[in-house]
Amino acid sequence: EPEVTQTPSHQVTQMGQEVILRCVPISNHLYFYWYRQILGQKVEFLVSFYNNEISEKSEIFDDQFSVERPDGSNFTLKIRSTKLEDSAMYFCASSPDYLQNIQYFGAGTRLSVL
Amino acid sequence: ILNVEQSPQSLHVQEGDSTNFTCSFPSSNFYALHWYRWETAKSPEALFVMTLNGDEKKKGRISATLNTKEGYSYLYIKGSQPEDSATYLCAYHPVNDYKLSFGAGTTVTVRA
């Protein structure tokens, strides 16, 4: 069964460093999302992406964050200069359409900023 | 910010017993309510997408109901098994908004 894959499963970085979180969505899906969950909090929306551009972003998704779909298969989230408060589980999701909007999630990347 | 609440936060169930828990969400401008099952270190697995008031969905021993007028959904697990142990997340989105707003989850632990 097709699945969303995310790499790495765990990323440890120093404050101020850049990180790139990678996702391979399900191949025929058109809508892509990043969410995150800070330990002990709810899963929260970061950004949605459709037709090679951002369709919506949350307040969290400031200038330090960017997304790309560089080659038609990968979908990446970049954090330019990580802060301690960026430590969280980051989930990628993809959806084939917006009508039912079933979002299929990857297993997440745990980002630890030291 | 759309307020989605789940209760209880956690529950322990004896194997073979049935259980249920709730998700509440804004009733205005409703489009869909999603239920996910999430085991540690795995991907959240989509269980149900519910869109119509009065909807009931079933997958094996797990079922869900939806009341959009009062803004709540119940998830039921019949005859709980240890493999049902997981965190169950509900997520809501209104019309013309495709991002999901999640509840905090209900963590179910089934004791053998």
Side-chain angles (χ1 to χ4, degrees), chain A residues 35 37 42 56 99 101 103, chain B residues 4 31 34 36 98-99:
Chain A
Y35 294 84
Q37 186 186 37
K42 294 179 180 179
E56 188 174 356
L99 289 175
N101 195 25
Q103 295 183 22
Chain B
V4 181
Y31 186 81
H34 300 242
Y36 286 87
Y98 307 113
K99 65 181 181 290

Side-chain angles (χ1 to χ4, degrees), chain B residues 1-46:
Chain B
I1 295 175
L2 299 170
N3 211 20
V4 181
E5 301 294 338
Q6 291 187 246
S7 65
Q9 184 178 357
S10 65
L11 56 89
H12 290 78
V13 187
Q14 197 65 36
E15 183 177 359
D17 286 352
S18 297
T19 190
N20 65 83
F21 38 93
T22 65
C23 171
S24 65
F25 51 86
S27 55
S28 61
N29 216 25
F30 174 87
Y31 186 81
L33 192 280
H34 300 242
W35 280 102
Y36 286 87
R37 180 175 177 278
W38 183 24
E39 288 181 73
T40 305
K42 293 187 179 178
S43 307
E45 173 198 356

Side-chain angles (χ1 to χ4, degrees), chain B residues 30 32-33 35 48-52 55-57 64-66 73:
Chain B
F30 174 87
L33 192 280
W35 280 102
F48 306 116
V49 180
M50 308 179 79
T51 55
L52 299 175
D55 231 357
E56 291 188 29
K57 297 235 174 170
T65 61
L66 180 69
S73 175

Side-chain angles (χ1 to χ4, degrees), chain A residues 51-105:
Chain A
N51 202 24
N52 284 322
E53 61 183 24
I54 290 174
S55 44
E56 188 174 356
K57 58 185 180 180
S58 71
E59 290 175 356
I60 304 163
F61 196 90
D62 62 21
D63 292 345
Q64 292 302 310
F65 290 85
S66 62
V67 288
E68 260 195 331
R69 195 146 187 262
D71 56 12
S73 63
N74 291 287
F75 181 49
T76 61
L77 174 70
K78 183 194 290 187
I79 309 174
R80 286 190 187 81
S81 178
T82 50
K83 307 186 197 71
L84 296 176
E85 54 265 36
D86 293 329
S87 296
M89 180 74 92
Y90 288 79
F91 291 100
C92 172
S94 69
S95 174
D97 61 60
Y98 64 87
L99 289 175
Q100 273 219 311
N101 195 25
I102 299 175
Q103 295 183 22
Y104 296 84
F105 282 78

Side-chain angles (χ1 to χ4, degrees), chain B residues 77-92:
Chain B
I77 305 175
K78 184 178 176 183
S80 304
Q81 299 296 309
E83 58 264 30
D84 296 326
S85 296
T87 296
Y88 292 83
L89 296 168
C90 70
Y92 156 89

